[in-house]
Amino acid sequence: MAKTDVTKYMDSNTRNIYNLKANNQNLQKEYGLTEELIRKLSSEKEEPEWALAIRLKALKLFFELEDPDWGPDISYLDIRNIATYVKPVKGEVRKWEDVPEDIREVFDKLGIPEAEKQALAGSGAQFDSEIVYHNLTEDLKKQGVIYTSFDEGLKNYPELVKKYFTKAVPLTDHKYIALHYALFSGGSFVYIPKDAELDRPLQSYFRLNEPGAGQFEHTLIIVDEGAKLEFIEGCSAPGYNELNLHAGCVELFVEKNASLRFSTIENWSKNMLNLNTKKCYVSEGGKIEWIMGSFGSKVSMLYPLSVLNGEGARCEFTNISFAGSGQNLDTGLKIIHNAPRTSSLVNAKSISKDGGICTFRSNVWVKKQAKHSKLSLSCESLMLDSESRSDTVPVNTLETDDVIFAHEAKIGKISDQAIFYLMSRGMTEEEAKGLIVRGFAEPIAKAFPVEYAVEMNRLIDLELEGTIG
Amino acid sequence: MKKLLEIKNLKTIAEDDPNKQILKGLNLTIQPGEVHVIMGPNGSGKSTLANTIFHSPRYIVTDGDIFFAGEKINDLSTDKIAKKGIFMSFQTPEEIPGVSLAQFLKTTKHSITGEKPNLYQFTKDVEEKMKELGMSYDTVNREFNVGFSGGEKKKNEILQLLLLNPKLAILDETDSGLDVDAIQIVSKGIDLYKNEENAVLIITHSTKILKNLKVDQVHILVDGKIVKTGDSSLAKEIEENGYQKYSK
């Protein structure tokens, strides 16, 4: 995408745009969680019998499992108050012109169709529970690349989906993944065939529009041997007073010598509970790159797991979290080194202000057989005032001595003297803080695709607005 | 002639130690075109004076006033004081990780002037001034002051002085910790900056930096007060005999 175009689009991209609400009257809206609802949902989606069986098993598990006994309190969540299935009456289409106008307007203002035209090989857009748009370039279809909504994938490639679905993230993982498997709807299914390389990324954008609604999209990506993919997911929602819930799931499979770069920029509104689960299995010589920016939500609990299963498998993890007033972002990562000569590189940063809380949990497990492995973890936190909190909670389990392991954690408050210095150079207190925060985030911003790096800086500016009382 | 800076009976305390009075009734007047030097032993209040003029949160003014070009500035915020045309070269310049020198210079120029600098002209200016200060132009791509040597940091301060071109430059111990070559470059920088309309206030405890400069007034600051004012010969006297004579 040409840089000028991006800037132009971003300059108008204020909080007002994230706050756009489609006045969507043509929709079917279901509340709560019952077997009846699950059966209805499954039959409307014309799913195979085994998919319904998974849903029903998950439903049972959800009521059996307890809330996590650590992290932020989410006991106020009552699933009966959540609109668990919100379906626009018109189905999924291949052309933006065919997307209902009020919905299209939201995506237009978010710049999604424009980004697809300029920089993407394929794009999908989800509105509440359902994908409303999905498209992939013709030449990629010819190469055997599959990029559809998850529901379409289940319908059209049942064998392939069945082979991988729930294999990275089992139903029993935790209470909210059980909820996810009971209600999964929308999301993307991607298959990249052997040795295929995409020169441009695929992007799925998830928009939660309805007040009090839940979103439970399932993303399943398989990058076959020697293939390469860059996948971007974006998430946003307008602000409401009611509690919204996001319990998505991402299952990634990186086969031998394949590589996947998975970028997420999450800008949920501040009434959102974001309880997301992501896992990736990496085979011999393969590589997963996670790039994550977490800005929104009231509470986030998200700890992507990478399982380095084959010799020489690699994981790179880059994360930035920004918690403002009333936000509790509990994020982190898990890595299992399961084979020799595997390596992981972690660079995580967090920023908190106005009483926001950022907690970063890292859990690294190097198994006995993972000899000659290398790990480098760096976590840095910046607090913009004394009311805000930042914690890092590292857990490292090394079952072999034959590893190179480096771990660095820094927590600090923004320096008054640095602000004074910048103010002596003509910057206001707000501008001075902004420059310091952008500089702090710069190494992360660099890792993002260019248009998202611009969006990230924009989000930082939005977060910093009104920092000075 | 109109006074550029006028300080009247200035008294300050430290923010973290309110019982400690640092400046105890300081008076100072600087006219356009002048070079003033403040010398004094450690702890006499030299740096406090520079920081107080800039409304540092570390010091609180308990009495007295500071006027700049006839306007009282004690109550202005630091950025507004800078925009009036006062610059300070810091004794310990800050590092700003993740922000390139080029980005920093553009931002500060924009903040001070209120308009975006013409990129072509500004880049040319930066290149030219860096050359004069013996700085490699590649430095603009480095993170601001991160990994810079003491000498490089001080040259960077003088670079900003030349690019921002204020009405009054306060140099707080800019020469401390520098070798002879670096001191020469710093004084060359001051020389490049100086003209008939602007003024310089040099805070130092050594006389090396004064060798190549035409100094109008030298003030001896002891225990929060100016105890003696003279011409450049006063600096020479201090170099030979120290502050003994002026201390109680």
Side-chain angles (χ1 to χ4, degrees), chain B residues 7-33:
Chain B
I7 297 175
K8 285 184 185 167
N9 191 32
L10 187 65
K11 294 180 184 172
T12 62
I13 51 171
E15 190 264 338
D16 57 0
D17 186 4
N19 296 322
K20 193 178 163 198
Q21 186 141 62
I22 308 173
L23 297 181
K24 298 173 177 171
L26 184 141
N27 294 290
L28 178 67
T29 302
I30 299 178
Q31 311 278 359

Side-chain angles (χ1 to χ4, degrees), chain A residues 39-54:
Chain A
R39 286 186 182 280
K40 187 175 159 200
L41 194 154
S42 182
S43 93
E44 275 185 16
K45 288 178 183 291
E46 297 166 31
E47 283 175 352
E49 196 58 32
W50 59 263
L52 174 63
I54 286 174

Side-chain angles (χ1 to χ4, degrees), chain B residues 17-210:
Chain B
D17 186 4
N19 296 322
K20 193 178 163 198
Q21 186 141 62
I22 308 173
L23 297 181
K24 298 173 177 171
L26 184 141
N27 294 290
L28 178 67
T29 302
I30 299 178
Q31 311 278 359
E34 290 182 344
V35 174
H36 286 237
V37 175
I38 291 187
M39 302 183 77
N42 287 337
S44 60
K46 299 193 300 291
S47 280
T48 301
L49 173 61
N51 282 281
T52 304
I53 293 172
F54 257 99
H55 203 163
S56 159
R58 287 189 182 176
Y59 305 100
I60 295 164
V61 173
T62 53
D63 200 7
D65 282 315
I66 306 168
F67 294 92
F68 184 69
E71 187 190 345
K72 188 178 152 184
I73 60 166
N74 324 20
D75 300 324
L76 295 183
S77 59
T78 303
D79 57 313
K80 295 215 170 91
I81 294 167
K83 283 172 192 154
K84 295 276 172 206
I86 310 182
F87 175 88
M88 172 157 91
S89 164
F90 279 59
Q91 192 173 350
T92 321
E94 292 292 314
E95 299 179 4
I96 314 291
V99 176
S100 72
L101 176 58
Q103 192 187 342
F104 184 94
L105 294 175
K106 264 181 275 174
T107 308
T108 176
K109 184 76 182 173
H110 186 174
S111 299
I112 294 286
T113 61
E115 49 194 74
K116 267 196 176 136
N118 173 304
L119 210 54
Y120 174 76
Q121 188 56 46
F122 189 64
T123 308
K124 238 175 76 180
D125 281 358
V126 171
E127 205 171 347
E128 183 197 319
K129 305 277 162 25
M130 287 180 91
K131 206 169 159 189
E132 276 162 350
L133 296 173
M135 296 171 82
S136 150
Y137 183 67
D138 297 343
T139 313
V140 296
N141 298 318
R142 288 174 61 188
E143 291 175 83
F144 187 83
N145 279 341
V146 177
F148 284 28
S149 70
E152 283 175 314
K153 284 182 181 172
K154 295 296 174 74
K155 282 185 200 173
N156 187 5
E157 296 289 285
I158 300 302
L159 174 66
Q160 294 169 57
L161 166 67
L162 295 179
L163 290 167
L164 298 175
N165 196 25
K167 294 185 190 125
L168 172 66
I170 302 170
L171 309 178
D172 184 12
E173 302 274 2
T174 301
D175 50 339
S176 70
L178 296 189
D179 60 25
V180 181
D181 292 345
I183 286 180
Q184 254 172 11
I185 287 173
V186 166
S187 62
K188 184 186 168 190
I190 299 168
D191 206 42
L192 282 168
Y193 158 71
K194 192 72 207 61
N195 62 34
E196 279 309 302
E197 272 103 57
N198 63 27
V200 182
L201 174 60
I202 298 171
I203 292 168
T204 182
H205 60 263
S206 117
T207 53
K208 279 184 214 135
I209 195 169
L210 308 177

Side-chain angles (χ1 to χ4, degrees), chain A residues 6-72:
Chain A
V6 171
T7 325
K8 196 174 141 205
Y9 138 60
M10 288 314 312
D11 277 345
S12 64
N13 206 349
T14 60
R15 178 63 70 195
N16 290 336
I17 287 171
Y18 295 116
N19 264 333
L20 269 178
K21 292 160 195 170
N23 185 18
N24 196 353
Q25 286 160 3
N26 298 318
L27 53 77
Q28 172 194 337
K29 200 167 168 181
E30 310 276 356
Y31 279 86
L33 186 62
T34 59
E35 186 175 330
E36 187 196 347
L37 170 73
I38 302 288
R39 286 186 182 280
K40 187 175 159 200
L41 194 154
S42 182
S43 93
E44 275 185 16
K45 288 178 183 291
E46 297 166 31
E47 283 175 352
E49 196 58 32
W50 59 263
L52 174 63
I54 286 174
R55 288 187 189 278
L56 293 174
K57 193 175 161 196
L59 174 70
K60 201 165 158 262
L61 276 167
F62 173 75
F63 289 111
E64 284 167 14
L65 293 168
E66 299 288 335
D67 269 338
D69 57 4
W70 47 275

Side-chain angles (χ1 to χ4, degrees), chain A residues 430-444:
Chain A
E430 193 172 1
E431 288 163 350
K433 283 188 175 179
L435 192 72
I436 292 168
V437 169
R438 271 195 299 279
F440 178 78
E442 168 64 16
I444 311 285

Side-chain angles (χ1 to χ4, degrees), chain A residues 15-292:
Chain A
R15 178 63 70 195
N16 290 336
I17 287 171
Y18 295 116
N19 264 333
L20 269 178
K21 292 160 195 170
N23 185 18
N24 196 353
Q25 286 160 3
N26 298 318
L27 53 77
Q28 172 194 337
K29 200 167 168 181
E30 310 276 356
Y31 279 86
L33 186 62
T34 59
E35 186 175 330
E36 187 196 347
L37 170 73
I38 302 288
R39 286 186 182 280
K40 187 175 159 200
L41 194 154
S42 182
S43 93
E44 275 185 16
K45 288 178 183 291
E46 297 166 31
E47 283 175 352
E49 196 58 32
W50 59 263
L52 174 63
I54 286 174
R55 288 187 189 278
L56 293 174
K57 193 175 161 196
L59 174 70
K60 201 165 158 262
L61 276 167
F62 173 75
F63 289 111
E64 284 167 14
L65 293 168
E66 299 288 335
D67 269 338
D69 57 4
W70 47 275
D73 174 33
I74 50 169
S75 58
Y76 48 82
L77 170 65
D78 185 343
I79 196 68
R80 288 171 299 187
N81 297 332
I82 298 286
T84 44
Y85 185 53
V86 184
K87 182 187 173 187
V89 165
K90 198 165 179 175
E92 180 183 332
V93 296
R94 301 267 167 267
K95 283 186 192 155
W96 280 109
E97 299 90 87
D98 298 335
V99 174
E101 207 184 326
D102 53 343
I103 295 179
R104 198 177 69 220
E105 197 190 0
V106 172
F107 285 116
D108 268 343
K109 296 227 165 121
L110 288 165
I112 310 300
E114 188 60 21
E116 178 183 348
K117 231 188 289 171
Q118 305 229 14
L120 300 170
S123 144
Q126 176 156 347
F127 207 74
D128 293 326
S129 299
E130 296 289 357
I131 290 276
V132 292
Y133 171 85
H134 234 283
N135 195 26
L136 180 69
T137 56
E138 282 305 319
D139 63 312
L140 287 177
K141 280 185 208 160
K142 275 183 207 141
Q143 284 182 50
V145 171
I146 302 170
Y147 177 46
T148 68
S149 70
F150 186 76
D151 298 26
E152 295 264 312
L154 199 55
K155 230 186 281 177
N156 301 331
Y157 311 94
E159 290 313 307
L160 197 54
V161 170
K162 196 179 175 185
K163 187 175 159 195
Y164 291 95
F165 184 52
T166 72
K167 299 303 184 292
V169 182
L171 278 60
T172 48
D173 238 26
H174 57 85
K175 188 176 174 74
Y176 293 93
I177 200 64
L179 179 68
H180 167 86
Y181 278 118
L183 291 164
F184 66 89
S185 181
S188 296
F189 173 61
V190 182
Y191 174 77
I192 310 296
K194 259 186 194 169
D195 298 322
E197 273 187 40
L198 274 63
D199 57 346
R200 287 180 296 170
L202 301 177
Q203 173 182 278
S204 289
Y205 200 95
F206 302 99
R207 178 76 177 176
L208 191 51
N209 181 68
E210 277 300 297
Q215 195 167 56
F216 307 95
E217 87 287 351
H218 196 91
T219 296
L220 174 58
I221 299 177
I222 301 138
V223 188
D224 216 334
E225 291 186 14
K228 270 198 178 125
L229 170 67
E230 178 168 355
F231 189 89
I232 304 168
E233 52 167 20
C235 328
S236 69
Y240 293 111
N241 293 327
E242 289 168 63
L243 196 62
N244 279 41
L245 172 65
H246 177 238
C249 178
V250 172
E251 295 188 285
L252 309 175
F253 296 88
V254 176
E255 301 296 351
K256 191 174 166 183
N257 297 326
S259 79
L260 169 59
R261 193 178 157 95
F262 191 89
S263 308
T264 307
I265 193 138
E266 175 268 296
N267 182 30
W268 295 121
S269 52
K270 295 181 181 156
N271 54 310
M272 180 72 83
L273 278 186
N274 182 33
L275 310 173
N276 216 4
T277 308
K278 300 181 177 185
K279 280 192 193 176
C280 181
Y281 276 86
V282 189
S283 301
E284 187 184 335
K287 182 182 181 185
I288 174 71
E289 263 181 275
W290 302 95
I291 297 158
M292 304 204 309

